[in-house]
Amino acid sequence: MNYCPNCGRATNGSERFCPNCGTSLNGNFPPPYRDKIDNSKEYPHLTGGDIIIDACKKFWLRAFDFEGRTCKPYFWWAVLMCFLLSGIPGVGLVVLIPLIALTMRRLHDMGKSGIYCLFALVPIVGWIALLVMCAGDGDRFSNEFGEPQENNY
């Protein structure tokens, strides 16, 4: 099986031109891999267990920072840390304000206002709605809350 070097469409070996884009097929080209998703380009700084330590550290460093953006992996690792810490008596209240700040930054990453954090005041349904919102992908381009950064925690 041959592949068009221009558009990547599979062709049979007898065609001289690609039926999709018209490119000359004068050789045997390997399958194209340009459409392969590579998350290392999206989050080049997130490797192995480093993200867990980095997310937890930056969660505390930006505990009272309600502006800016937070990427999805950092958000979920910090939420997991808060969930584990909430089992320790008295710690649940300590992580409340930093968790609200983190959630607001996560909403900012998706271009939404931090006012959506008020959904958490509605028992059960509000929490579920807020978690579903935070599971979305962030904006790849700048929005009113800032530029996307390589380390946009």
Side-chain angles (χ1 to χ4, degrees), residues 28-84:
N28 186 9
F29 299 100
Y33 293 102
R34 66 179 162 195
D35 295 332
K36 183 179 173 186
I37 296 172
D38 184 10
N39 286 334
S40 66
K41 291 180 182 173
E42 187 174 355
Y43 301 112
H45 61 288
L46 308 179
T47 57
D50 294 340
I51 181 177
I52 300 168
I53 295 167
D54 200 33
C56 294
K57 180 176 72 173
K58 288 183 179 179
F59 172 78
W60 293 110
L61 290 174
R62 293 188 66 191
F64 300 102
D65 184 6
F66 293 89
E67 297 179 7
R69 297 168 64 165
T70 295
C71 65
K72 186 169 29 175
Y74 275 41
F75 173 80
W76 289 111
W77 282 115
V79 167
L80 177 64
M81 178 198 62
C82 290
F83 177 74
L84 295 174

